[in-house]
Amino acid sequence: MSDLRITEAFLYMDYLCFRALCCKGPPPARPEYDLVCIGLTGSGKTSLLSKLCSESPENIVSTTGFSIKAVPFQNAILNVKELGGADNIRKYWSRYYQGSQGVIFVLDSASSEDDLETARNELHSALQHPQLCTLPFLILANHQDKPAARSVQEVKKYFELEPLARGKRWILQPCSLDDMEALKDSFSQLINLLEEKDHEAVRM
C-alpha cells in the first residue's frame, strides 16, 4: 500500500473518531410520564418509591397528604404523585387524578382480611373512575417477604381482577424491598404500557 493510501486511511479513522467523540450531540431526552400512586396506609408506597430513588431508609416518613417524586429509569422519568392512604384522606384521592397518565396501586399482601377488603374496594373504585379507567395500571402485591403474604394468584382471585379489569391495561406483580430487580422490572413493564398508549395517541 502506498504512503498516500496509508495516510488517507489514518485520516479517515481520525475523522470517524472525531465524529464519535465530538459530533455525537446530546442524548435524546427521556420521555416523562405523570403517575398517581395510591394504596392504604402501611402498604409500603413510600418505602418502595424512596428505594427506587435511592433515598436513605432512615429518612422515610409515611405520607399523610401527598408527595411527588421523580423516579428515573433508563428509558423514562416517572413523576409519581403519591397520595396518603389514611381513612380521612382516601375520600379526596379523586381530586388528584387529573392529568395522570398511569396508576400505581400498592397493596399489602400480608395484611388482615379487613384491610385487604378495603384495598379491594379502593382498587375497584380506581379501575372504574372516569379519569383512570383508560389508563395503564401497575398493581403491586407488596410485602411478599412476610410469612403471611398472599401469592399473586390469590390476590388476583380475591380482587376479582380478571372479570373487573378485562379489556384494560394492567399488570399485577409481587414485590418487596428485598428484591429491587423484580420491582424495577415491574416498572419497566409499566413504562412499556405507557409507551404503547403514547403510540396509539399519535396514530389517532
Side-chain angles (χ1 to χ4, degrees), residues 158-184:
Y158 184 82
F159 278 65
E160 300 174 309
L161 286 174
E162 291 290 359
L164 181 69
R166 186 176 292 117
K168 302 179 187 292
R169 296 178 176 87
W170 59 276
I171 305 161
L172 172 62
Q173 291 287 93
C175 74
S176 72
L177 289 175
D178 294 338
D179 192 351
M180 289 307 296
E181 287 306 313
L183 182 63
K184 290 177 181 178

Side-chain angles (χ1 to χ4, degrees), residues 4 8 12-13 20 33 47 72 86 89 98 105 107-108 116 119-120 131 168 184 186 198:
L4 179 60
E8 287 177 346
Y12 183 65
M13 289 175 64
Y33 297 101
S47 296
I89 295 175
Q98 187 173 1
F105 189 95
L107 63 97
D108 179 2
L116 205 64
R120 181 175 71 169
Q131 290 179 303
K168 302 179 187 292
K184 290 177 181 178
S186 299
D198 262 0

Side-chain angles (χ1 to χ4, degrees), residues 3 17 29 37 44 68 70 82 92 99-100 132 136 138 140 150 167 169:
D3 290 344
C17 290
C37 179
I68 299 176
E82 180 201 345
Y92 300 113
S100 299
L132 304 182
L138 172 59
L140 295 173
R150 284 97 169 163
R169 296 178 176 87

Side-chain angles (χ1 to χ4, degrees), residues 49-93:
L49 294 174
S50 297
K51 192 74 178 287
L52 286 170
C53 292
S54 301
E55 295 178 359
S56 173
E58 287 78 19
N59 299 328
I60 295 175
V61 179
S62 182
T63 302
T64 54
F66 77 93
S67 67
I68 299 176
K69 291 184 184 297
V71 186
F73 290 90
Q74 187 173 3
N75 56 339
I77 296 174
L78 304 182
N79 298 312
V80 182
K81 186 191 305 175
E82 180 201 345
L83 307 183
D87 293 348
N88 61 335
I89 295 175
R90 293 199 302 270
K91 59 185 177 183
Y92 300 113
W93 277 358

